[in-house]
Amino acid sequence: MKIALLGSGVMGTALLDSFVAADHVGDGGEIVVADVRKEAAEAAAATQSDQAGERGITITASDAPADAVTGADVVVLAIKPQHAAGLLSTVGDAVNPAGLVVSIAAGLPAAWLEARLPEGIAVVRVMPNTPATIGQGVSAISAGATATQAHLDLVSELFAGTGLVVQVPENLQSAVTGLSGSGPAYVFAMIDALAEAGTALGLPRALALQLASHTVSGSGAYAARSGQHPAMLREAVSSPGGTTLAGLGVLDDRAVRAAYVAAVRAASDRADELAAGLESPA
């Protein structure tokens, strides 16, 4: 299998790690990392060159995206959405008609991408989040008009190294953006607030930040693995008349739960607005 990875930023490099580990690339496979800055593509390729060699995978770097996609079984758009139209106008005609285009460009609907590619090319849209860069992310994948379940299964395998991969209908991608796509920022804000509170109570700042970060990450892992509803988990650590209930009472009084719900909805609505404002292809 040949994969053309267009974009060598932080997320592109994280995807490269996952692709090298994926069984679908396998012995004899090829990954071409393409970027207008060849030095950036070379640096990304170098991060996985040793492991790729051990698995029989060839990694090369290119500053010519059209050359990179020629003959590729999978083309991955790991680029900012504002760069997508220009890139597709450059590489569209070179995309393998039997290939698959995978886009992580936030907010770009599959139909928008399909309109800028030769007719019939399969497109899968992916909404990852930043923890994917350490293998702890969430990626929601959706099929375009001609993508099949086999395409979705392939993308699930290729992205498995980035964390959890879920399949959703594309009409739910804005909801995913509001929740898991933007969600890390909400969590970072909570960590910052918890650490600030600890510092105000006399803890050294570095220690307060360490305690807050690990409390959030540990609680999230525990919730994911327990299979229990978070309300039950909350009750399990809330002794009658105890410290936890005192703190939860303040959060309830200040409508923190409602604020999180409103934040997710606002981000989802904004994703819809941005998608609705995309220009049609010329």
Side-chain angles (χ1 to χ4, degrees):
M1 172 182 289
K2 177 182 176 181
I3 297 177
L5 176 60
L6 307 186
S8 58
V10 173
M11 191 62 72
T13 302
L15 292 178
L16 178 61
D17 297 347
S18 184
F19 298 163
V20 169
D23 291 337
H24 275 79
V25 181
D27 189 20
E30 179 184 3
I31 302 174
V32 182
V33 184
D35 197 297
V36 292
R37 300 166 300 138
K38 190 172 183 180
E39 66 277 9
E42 290 173 341
T47 65
Q48 280 294 321
S49 59
D50 290 343
Q51 184 177 347
E54 293 173 0
R55 294 178 60 85
I57 299 170
T58 301
I59 297 182
T60 57
S62 172
D63 59 0
D67 291 341
V69 305
T70 300
D73 301 288
V74 180
V75 175
V76 181
L77 306 178
I79 56 174
K80 296 182 184 300
Q82 61 266 33
H83 299 153
L87 179 63
L88 289 177
S89 69
T90 300
V91 307
D93 291 339
V95 175
N96 179 1
L100 169 65
V101 173
V102 180
S103 171
I104 67 167
L108 299 184
W112 188 93
L113 298 162
E114 290 161 348
R116 289 161 174 80
L117 291 165
E119 186 176 356
I121 290 179
V123 171
V124 171
R125 178 182 172 188
V126 184
M127 180 69 238
N129 62 9
T130 51
T133 60
I134 60 167
Q136 296 293 320
V138 177
S139 294
I141 66 175
S142 302
T146 62
T148 66
Q149 185 59 48
H151 290 125
L152 291 173
D153 291 343
L154 173 58
V155 174
S156 294
E157 166 66 21
L158 292 175
F159 278 68
T162 66
L164 176 67
V165 181
V166 298
Q167 297 181 17
V168 300
E170 192 179 10
N171 63 359
L172 294 180
Q173 279 285 359
S174 290
V176 169
T177 300
L179 178 54
S180 60
S182 299
Y186 316 149
V187 176
F188 298 150
M190 179 171 62
I191 291 172
D192 183 39
L194 291 172
E196 187 66 26
T199 301
L201 290 170
L203 291 171
R205 184 172 297 276
L207 176 59
L209 181 58
Q210 184 180 37
L211 291 173
S213 298
H214 282 264
T215 296
V216 170
S217 63
S219 299
Y222 182 58
R225 294 177 187 176
S226 72
Q228 298 183 57
H229 192 282
M232 296 179 63
L233 298 177
R234 185 181 66 237
E235 290 177 5
V237 296
S238 302
S239 302
T243 59
T244 304
L245 279 180
L248 287 172
V250 173
L251 295 180
D252 288 342
D253 289 344
R254 301 195 180 190
V256 171
R257 177 186 176 90
Y260 273 105
V261 172
V264 172
R265 182 173 295 279
S268 177
D269 290 346
R270 181 57 178 157
D272 283 336
E273 291 171 0
L274 292 173
L278 292 171
E279 78 281 3
S280 300

